[in-house]
Amino acid sequence: MEALIQQAAKEIACARNVIALTGAGISVESGIPPFRGKGGLWEKIDPMEVAHIDAFMEDPARVWRLLIQDMGHLLASAQPNDAHQGLVALEKQGRLTSIITQNVDGLHQAAGSSRVVEFHGSFATVSCLKCHTKQPIKNCLTGELPPLCDCGGVLRPDCVFFGEMIPMNAFHAAQAAVATCDVMLVVGTSATVQPAAQMPVMAKQNGAVIIEVNLDSTPLSHSISDYMIKGPAGNSMRQLATAANEMRSDGS
Ligand code: NAD
Ligand code: ZN
């Protein structure tokens, strides 16, 4: 493992432009369960069904009760962990230029990362389906469900539900980052939710080196990833950032 970390850190140290794609696994050590994998929400409910826009439009109170409210409470108290901090350290070293995250938890920004593309939107705010006014989600974590706007419209979280489009600006920012990176860190994602899962494939086709950090193998691990660093993201990212910091840009 030590040798693998050193080699991967060398790729980072020698790169011109490192980016990261992150998923729910990076926030597990902050106490937020992922969708898939051990302890994932899928053991209790089927997010593909509950977190689908059709389910929300059909019965918003049910989706607020089964998914949104609990998630909102969890996120309100979650703190960034060593994996988020590792990415901050790589940005401070001048190596990491941007993060594309599938997460809606805001923990990269809370840790201090400055260029974060929220590919699946955010849970920080909600919007009215009728008048589109935004407000903080914390206004909606207690009381009647579904929460309503002053105009009477139903409020929805500003995340991307299954069955919805990726916000255009996030999609374009992600594509631009993928097209210009020469190393992509892929941290804590099962790489099964499209179109996010396509990004490491596109980066690889453009010649980038793919460094995967995950507890388990994913569909990328044997075909796309050049490095598969198995283990909890906090430990791996801390070691990678430290090792890269000790190297000069020629990798020595
Ligand atoms: P996922 O739930 O499909 O997969 C999580 C991945 O993380 C798995 O591959 C698992 O092996 C790995 N993992 C779990 N614990 C880990 C750890 N400690 N260190 C390293 N890896 C670990 O996640 P996904 O690929 O991001 O897709 C799920 C979708 O659900 C995303 O679109 C996201 O928007 C949403 N989601 C977000 C959050 C959040 O914001 N924190 C939480 C749950 C789901
Ligand atoms: Zn309204």
Side-chain angles (χ1 to χ4, degrees):
M1 181 56 110
E2 177 67 8
L4 190 64
I5 296 269
Q6 287 296 325
Q7 267 181 313
K10 193 167 176 175
E11 300 280 3
I12 292 170
C14 297
R16 280 175 295 104
N17 184 6
V18 182
I19 69 167
L21 170 68
T22 66
I26 198 170
S27 296
V28 165
E29 289 160 75
S30 296
I32 305 169
F35 274 176
R36 297 168 195 79
K38 202 167 158 283
L41 289 169
W42 270 18
E43 288 176 359
K44 297 185 207 143
I45 54 174
D46 179 353
M48 219 31 174
E49 189 265 314
V50 180
H52 199 284
I53 186 62
D54 294 347
F56 184 82
M57 297 311 273
E58 204 167 289
D59 190 349
R62 173 172 174 264
V63 176
W64 269 96
R65 192 174 61 250
L66 290 179
L67 190 68
I68 305 170
Q69 235 180 5
D70 283 357
M71 191 80 162
H73 281 294
L74 260 178
L75 301 194
S77 57
Q79 297 297 323
N81 65 54
D82 282 356
H84 301 101
Q85 299 296 357
L87 291 175
V88 175
L90 289 175
E91 183 184 331
K92 285 194 177 139
Q93 291 170 28
R95 289 175 161 138
L96 186 85
T97 56
S98 61
I99 298 172
I100 304 163
T101 189
Q102 297 166 82
N103 296 344
V104 294
D105 56 30
L107 290 181
H108 287 301
Q109 296 91 327
S113 287
S114 62
R115 286 182 296 273
V116 182
V117 178
E118 290 183 311
F119 205 68
H120 291 161
S122 163
F123 241 58
T125 55
V126 296
S127 293
C128 173
L129 290 181
K130 217 157 127 190
C131 74
H132 308 293
T133 302
K134 277 186 196 293
Q135 56 176 294
I137 198 169
K138 64 176 164 32
N139 297 353
C140 309
L141 297 180
T142 52
E144 295 272 301
L145 293 179
L148 301 178
C149 174
D150 288 343
C151 81
V154 169
L155 294 170
R156 60 157 294 168
D158 289 327
C159 62
V160 176
F161 283 107
F162 289 116
E164 287 191 298
M165 298 275 289
I166 304 301
M168 262 312 165
N169 52 354
F171 190 76
H172 289 311
Q175 276 198 321
V178 169
T180 53
C181 72
D182 52 0
V183 169
M184 181 189 263
L185 283 156
V186 181
V187 188
T189 174
S190 63
T192 49
V193 178
Q194 295 293 357
Q198 204 50 34
M199 286 189 288
V201 179
M202 283 160 50
K204 177 87 174 179
Q205 281 165 353
N206 287 340
V209 171
I210 310 297
I211 302 173
E212 189 177 9
V213 174
N214 200 305
L215 272 186
D216 289 314
S217 298
T218 72
L220 302 176
S221 306
H222 301 294
S223 51
I224 298 295
S225 301
D226 297 283
Y227 297 84
M228 171 61 192
I229 301 174
K230 250 191 186 175
N235 187 39
S236 304
M237 288 310 303
R238 190 179 51 242
Q239 288 190 51
L240 266 179
T242 306
N245 193 39
E246 287 162 0
M247 283 174 194
R248 293 208 308 260
S249 55
D250 60 0
S252 58

